[in-house]
């Protein structure tokens, strides 16, 4: 029997992990990336215990931890009073996972490590500067048209994994609706060398509740491994981009967290982006599947989007492996959507919307109630474990296995 070929569209973290997991299950793999090099812009950075288990399963964990920061704790702060409300300790999960912590590692590092590992497999063809422009499916396979630095070409595969990001060409070619909404406020991301842990005693991942201007604060390793802090804030709809991105505004926002009394924060990077809560109406059309941001997007509070994408990657590779002879009518192929779409809606969409609401709550009574609940949950080991099982997606993995 000839070896089946999986064509993976998109060389982001989800595409690279999908390609690797498929190669490790004996498939020939073609990985197609439209850009000519890896995207190194600051994006997702938090990798939860459930995802660390998956990164270990594809043989990348040691290198991944080495280029990141291990964070055992995470905090909720009341930004209005600069008070620590609750500190959660992943160590309560020590009997549930070999990785009772998160690792703060920039997503492009996962791509780099994954690409190096992929190069060890003889039947893997990785092409940068190769954009997918069209797809045609029949009873035996999929023909993918690509354009790019190598000219126009058609490639043939048994199945296609569309991991080509939020604006997915694959999803659009399949005419699949991206259901949901876009938040009216944009999200401002500021990166600084200032050490918030030293200044305020916060954990490497801290959520700041504030009725006017909530925030996320987290430490990442940086390419030089010297460490830096990233802060995320909402940008009001009625303020223009130039104002939101100005030095004065960046300094004002950071000074609300720790007041430097007039001394400036050293700013390393700033970015403003639109955030959506959307899920593809379907994750599959015959031989073509969607994974990662191509199939779901969400706000970054809780750091769940990319984690869920890596979970898709492993599930999809396993689904292909369980489909004997590459027959597109095999019932197991429908299981991918039953599991991955359901879990995204029930865990990631639900949790990220709730996380945002909890941080931005304006009603004083509701606000006090939310913060009180967090404090009580952190103070009780049983409740804390239940909370962390959910935020780390360990519970979603267990639930996924029970979906036949
Ligand atoms: C500014 C920003 C900040 C973010 N911050 C966070 C955060 O703090 N926490 C968090 O959890 N998430 C965050 N996210 C989301 C997170 O980055 C995504 O969940 C993650 O990148 C998804 O990975 P992916 O591989 O599915 O898609 P992507 O990383 O988008 O990769 C898709 C790849 O497909 C390629 N591609 C596109 N079209 C084609 C085509 N036609 N042919 C071939 N290749 C194609 C693209 O060039 C790209 O390399 C952020 C996103 C942005 C934009």
């Amino acid at each position: 029997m000839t070896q089946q070929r999986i064509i993976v569209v998109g060389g982001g973290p989800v595409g690279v992990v999908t390609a690797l997991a498929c190669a490790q299950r004996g498939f020939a793999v073609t990985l197609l990336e439209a850009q000519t090099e890896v995207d190194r812009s600051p994006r997702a950075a938090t990798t939860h215990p459930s995802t660390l288990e998956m990164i270990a399963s594809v043989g990348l964990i040691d290198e991944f931890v080495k280029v990141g920061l291990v964070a055992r704790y995470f905090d909720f702060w009341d930004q209005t009073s600069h008070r620590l409300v609750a500190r959660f300790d992943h160590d309560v999960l020590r009997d549930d996972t070999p990785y009772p912590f998160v690792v703060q590692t920039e997503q492009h590092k996962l791509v780099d490590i994954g690409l190096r590992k992929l190069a060890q497999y003889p039947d893997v063809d990785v092409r940068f500067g190769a954009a997918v422009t069209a797809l045609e499916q029949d009873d035996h396979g999929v023909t993918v048209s690509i354009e790019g630095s190598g000219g126009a070409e058609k490639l043939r595969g048994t199945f296609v994994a569309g991991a080509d990001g939020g604006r997915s060409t694959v999803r659009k070619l399949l005419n699949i609706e991206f259901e949901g909404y876009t938040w009216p406020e944009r999200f401002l991301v500021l990166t600084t060398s200032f050490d918030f842990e030293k200044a305020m005693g916060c954990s490497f991942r801290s959520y700041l509740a504030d009725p006017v201007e909530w925030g996320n604060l987290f430490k990442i390793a940086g390419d030089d491994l010297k460490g830096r802090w990233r802060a995320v804030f909402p940008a009001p709809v009625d303020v223009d981009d130039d104002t939101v991105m100005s030095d004065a505004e960046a300094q004002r926002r950071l000074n609300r967290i720790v007041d430097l009394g007039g001394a400036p924060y050293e700013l390393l990077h700033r970015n403003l982006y639109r955030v959506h809560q959307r899920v593809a109406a379907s994750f599959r059309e015959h031989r073509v599947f969607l994974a990662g941001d191509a199939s779901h997007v969400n706000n970054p509070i809780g750091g769940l989007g990319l984690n869920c994408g890596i979970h898709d990657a492993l599930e999809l590779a396993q689904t292909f492996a369980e489909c004997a002879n590459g027959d597109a009518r095999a019932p197991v192929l429908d299981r991918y959507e039953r599991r991955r779409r359901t879990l995204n809606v029930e865990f990631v969409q639900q949790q990220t919307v709730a996380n945002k609401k909890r941080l931005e709550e304006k009603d004083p009574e509701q606000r006090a109630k939310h913060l009180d609940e967090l404090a009580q949950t952190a103070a009780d080991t049983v409740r804390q474990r239940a909370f962390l099982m959910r935020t780390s997606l360990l519970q979603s993995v267990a639930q996924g296995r029970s979906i036949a």
Side-chain angles (χ1 to χ4, degrees), residues 107 324 328:
Q107 67 178 56

Side-chain angles (χ1 to χ4, degrees), residues 228-251:
R228 56 202 54 197
W229 287 77
R230 211 182 279 163
V232 181
F233 305 98
V237 270
D238 53 354
V239 181
D240 63 83
D241 287 11
D242 287 347
T243 307
V244 174
M245 294 282 273
S246 67
D247 280 339
E249 181 64 1
Q251 296 295 338

Side-chain angles (χ1 to χ4, degrees), residues 45-333:
T46 299
T47 307
H48 291 285
S50 55
T51 315
L52 293 172
E53 290 181 20
M54 295 178 194
I55 288 175
S57 78
V58 291
L60 303 179
I61 192 73
D62 292 343
E63 251 193 290
F64 188 72
V65 172
K66 225 182 276 171
V67 293
L69 298 171
V70 170
R72 172 172 159 179
Y73 303 100
F74 78 96
D75 295 353
F76 284 91
W77 288 71
D78 182 351
Q79 164 71 11
T80 57
S81 58
H82 298 275
R83 173 177 67 92
L84 175 63
V85 171
R87 174 160 293 165
F88 288 86
D89 181 358
H90 281 94
D91 199 53
V92 301
L93 301 176
R94 64 186 169 279
D95 295 331
D96 301 290
T97 173
Y99 307 101
F101 46 80
V102 306
V103 176
Q104 304 276 112
T105 306
E106 298 90 326
Q107 67 178 56
H108 67 264
K109 293 181 181 171
L110 178 59
V111 175
D112 289 339
I113 298 167
L115 287 172
R116 280 201 294 278
K117 187 85 172 175
L118 268 176
Q120 298 170 4
Y121 292 82
D123 295 323
V124 172
D125 176 17
V126 176
R127 302 192 194 187
F128 274 71
V132 169
T133 54
L135 297 164
E136 268 176 72
Q137 309 195 50
D138 55 46
D139 285 347
H140 307 288
V142 192
T143 303
V144 172
S145 302
I146 57 171
E147 280 173 22
S149 37
E153 202 181 328
K154 285 184 193 288
L155 304 170
R156 187 86 178 148
T158 314
F159 295 113
V160 167
D164 52 342
R167 294 183 184 149
S168 172
T169 300
V170 172
R171 190 188 65 237
K172 287 173 191 159
L173 288 170
L174 298 175
N175 280 320
I176 294 176
E177 195 70 33
F178 210 18
E179 296 170 341
Y181 57 90
T182 299
W183 291 103
E185 66 272 50
R186 293 143 302 157
F187 283 40
L188 173 67
V189 184
L190 301 173
T191 308
T192 172
S193 55
F194 182 76
D195 187 346
F196 284 98
E197 184 195 24
K198 205 161 148 195
M200 60 189 266
C202 63
S203 295
F204 286 0
R205 193 158 61 101
S206 293
Y207 296 99
L208 317 177
D210 189 308
V212 186
E213 204 168 77
W214 55 263
N216 291 182
L217 192 58
F218 50 98
K219 188 175 184 182
I220 45 167
D223 284 338
D224 54 11
L225 300 183
K226 285 186 180 158
R228 56 202 54 197
W229 287 77
R230 211 182 279 163
V232 181
F233 305 98
V237 270
D238 53 354
V239 181
D240 63 83
D241 287 11
D242 287 347
T243 307
V244 174
M245 294 282 273
S246 67
D247 280 339
E249 181 64 1
Q251 296 295 338
R252 183 193 68 75
R253 298 232 185 201
L254 294 170
N255 270 284
R256 279 195 80 224
I257 303 175
V258 174
D259 188 347
L260 298 190
Y265 276 85
E266 186 195 17
L267 283 167
L268 304 173
H269 179 269
R270 70 191 89 173
N271 189 20
L272 184 62
Y273 74 108
R274 285 227 160 269
V275 177
H276 320 266
Q277 302 286 154
R278 293 184 188 274
V279 182
S282 162
F283 279 25
R284 174 193 174 203
E285 176 64 45
H286 199 46
R287 292 182 175 277
V288 182
F289 295 72
L290 298 175
D293 275 21
S295 52
H296 46 74
V297 286
N298 53 269
N299 78 61
I301 309 165
L304 293 174
L306 177 55
N307 283 267
C308 189
I310 303 294
H311 294 209
D312 296 342
L314 270 293
E315 180 73 33
L316 189 52
Q318 188 54 31
T319 304
F320 291 151
E322 289 180 33
C323 174
N325 304 327
D327 183 351
R329 290 163 304 185
V332 70
L333 294 177

